[in-house]
Amino acid sequence: MFKGSARLAGENNKEYSYRVIKEGIMSLKLRPGQAISEVELADALQISRTPIREVMGKLREEHLVEVLPQVGSYISKIKPQLIEEAAFMRYTLEKEIMKMACDSFPEDKLRELKRNVALQEEIIERKATDGLAFHKLDTKFHSIIFQGNNKEHVWDAITRLSTHYNRMRVLSEMENSFYTAFIEHKNIIKVIEEKDIEHVEEVVHTHILKPTKNWGKLYQPDSPYADYFDLSYKMPIFQ
């Protein structure tokens, strides 16, 4: 059964349960399609059911938990449609934010990006397999770019739509490696630092859209992850 991590300083029961349950979902330790119980979660985290019930409602809003009447609650399967929509949103908006960054970007935020990438490199050098740790740094990397252009609320909106997209990134990176994303992040920094606006579209396309071309094989019938996906929405994805 799912086990919670240590409580952070100052976390109340609701904050704690939301963080650890969502981390379990995003790291795929709570598998897509897996049945979950408020009672079992409360027992695992050693808290009452009330905050768990509130957290489950929030996770439903984020498309991470589904409730089937008379059946039970499940971790939402990954929906390629939601991945495609999030990738479209990220590509469209990150192109523009990168152009703004090439025009003007605070030095302290540039240093923060470089520190972030240095931490990514440490994970790679340790040959760590913790996809969630790398993913947290990846997410923070992009949030810094939006913060540097005073568009952090835009990033928040992207994050809310990207829960299925981000699980797919974690799955893909677990199956392959973090190294490609790390190199692409270094290229993004180089474009910002050199104010190389002509290469913005290329680096953003390479980082966000190009990887999706290989994701389709992960939900084919012969994939070990086929059961992770909800393919009920019939449309061309990742073509």
Side-chain angles (χ1 to χ4, degrees), residues 11-28:
E11 277 187 322
N12 61 35
N13 284 344
K14 183 177 179 180
E15 292 166 341
Y16 169 64
S17 56
Y18 173 74
R19 177 177 62 82
V20 296
I21 295 171
K22 185 169 182 178
E23 284 184 354
I25 296 172
M26 298 307 297
S27 67
L28 305 176

Side-chain angles (χ1 to χ4, degrees), residues 202-226:
E202 177 185 342
V203 297
V204 176
H205 184 279
T206 296
H207 189 56
I208 296 175
L209 294 186
K210 186 177 179 181
T212 68
K213 306 304 180 184
N214 296 319
W215 288 355
K217 64 184 179 183
L218 293 173
Y219 62 78
Q220 296 303 313
D222 59 349
S223 165
Y225 306 105

Side-chain angles (χ1 to χ4, degrees), residues 120-237:
Q120 293 178 31
E121 189 169 21
E122 287 181 12
I123 290 177
I124 293 169
E125 289 178 347
R126 293 199 313 267
K127 300 187 184 304
T129 58
D130 186 351
L132 185 61
F134 186 89
H135 176 70
K136 285 182 176 179
L137 288 171
D138 188 334
T139 300
K140 181 62 177 177
F141 177 88
H142 291 275
S143 73
I144 293 167
I145 300 175
F146 281 79
Q147 290 168 8
N149 287 279
N150 297 314
K151 295 291 185 292
E152 55 264 39
H153 293 102
V154 176
W155 178 251
D156 289 343
I158 292 173
T159 301
R160 284 193 294 273
L161 182 63
S162 297
T163 52
H164 288 240
Y165 170 85
N166 287 335
R167 282 194 291 171
M168 191 69 167
R169 282 186 65 94
V170 170
L171 179 59
S172 176
E173 288 164 356
M174 286 168 55
E175 279 297 286
N176 299 291
S177 82
F178 312 132
Y179 186 73
T180 298
F182 161 70
I183 293 298
E184 290 169 359
H185 289 154
K186 291 184 69 173
N187 289 337
I188 287 171
I189 291 176
K190 184 173 184 289
V191 165
I192 293 174
E193 195 167 26
E194 296 180 358
K195 302 183 181 298
D196 186 8
I197 196 168
E198 291 185 3
H199 286 92
V200 162
E201 186 166 347
E202 177 185 342
V203 297
V204 176
H205 184 279
T206 296
H207 189 56
I208 296 175
L209 294 186
K210 186 177 179 181
T212 68
K213 306 304 180 184
N214 296 319
W215 288 355
K217 64 184 179 183
L218 293 173
Y219 62 78
Q220 296 303 313
D222 59 349
S223 165
Y225 306 105
D227 290 342
Y228 283 17
F229 296 92
D230 176 359
L231 303 178
S232 58
Y233 188 87
K234 303 298 183 184
M235 66 172 287
I237 303 288

